Amino acid sequence: MKRIAQKMVENGGVAPGLVTEDFEFTVEAHPSSHPAAGRPHPASEILSGLESAKEVFRYPDEYGPGDGFKNIIRSMTAEDDRVVVESETHAVPRANPAGRYTNYNVAIYVFRDGKVARARIYEDTAFVQAFQHGDPEVMSEINTAVES
């Protein structure tokens, strides 16, 4: 289960072939705080969004070449039918190479019959909002608070 969860995180939350046909991806947050919050999403929707992100973001230079979000696992715990993964997400907007997107996430993957049936994602929605609205001061404050 941990290897499957690792692949899920490395791929941005969903990996084709590793999820059930009725897989659901949910960002656990108030709908106004995150563009994907408020309802479960099928794998096809999340994969489409990840492909779009590759056009908008690239990996930060220190992580080498890559398109989209660079996800780094900080910890992983497995028990019963679930794996909990704590990770960091890093990216640079292609339109603003001086900008930086960093977020901290916890994903809970629930397994059924050897595949992931559900993904529940918890992340810093204040940073998502600040990033969406282009508020560099708030983004800097959040990054400073998290790093200390």
Side-chain angles (χ1 to χ4, degrees):
M1 288 191 320
K2 282 185 171 183
R3 275 186 273 216
I4 291 172
Q6 178 180 351
K7 291 286 184 202
M8 296 282 284
V9 171
E10 289 171 351
N11 200 55
V14 178
L18 301 179
V19 299
T20 61
E21 289 200 21
D22 61 343
F23 170 81
E24 291 183 343
F25 181 100
T26 305
V27 174
E28 300 289 350
H30 190 277
S32 67
S33 68
H34 191 287
R39 68 178 178 86
H41 301 272
S44 60
E45 228 176 89
I46 300 305
L47 289 167
S48 173
L50 292 172
E51 283 303 310
S52 296
K54 289 179 180 180
E55 296 172 16
V56 178
F57 293 99
R58 66 168 177 78
Y59 288 6
D61 293 338
E62 65 266 27
Y63 298 111
D67 298 320
F69 298 109
K70 175 65 176 176
N71 295 297
I72 299 168
I73 295 174
R74 296 172 77 192
S75 71
M76 191 178 319
T77 305
E79 187 173 320
D80 299 328
D81 66 344
R82 64 198 63 222
V83 177
V84 178
V85 182
E86 178 186 14
S87 64
E88 299 175 11
T89 300
H90 301 277
V92 172
R94 293 184 190 280
N96 177 13
R100 177 79 180 227
Y101 179 86
T102 301
N103 209 333
Y104 301 88
N105 316 284
V106 172
I108 301 172
Y109 296 108
V110 180
F111 286 74
R112 183 177 71 237
D113 300 325
K115 292 188 173 188
V116 180
R118 241 178 107 194
R120 293 192 325 263
I121 311 300
Y122 299 83
E123 64 183 2
D124 185 343
T125 57
F127 189 81
V128 171
Q129 289 176 21
F131 187 82
Q132 284 183 313
H133 299 297
D135 191 336
E137 185 176 317
V138 173
M139 290 186 298
S140 176
E141 286 176 21
I142 292 169
N143 277 331
T144 301
V146 171
E147 290 170 1
S148 49

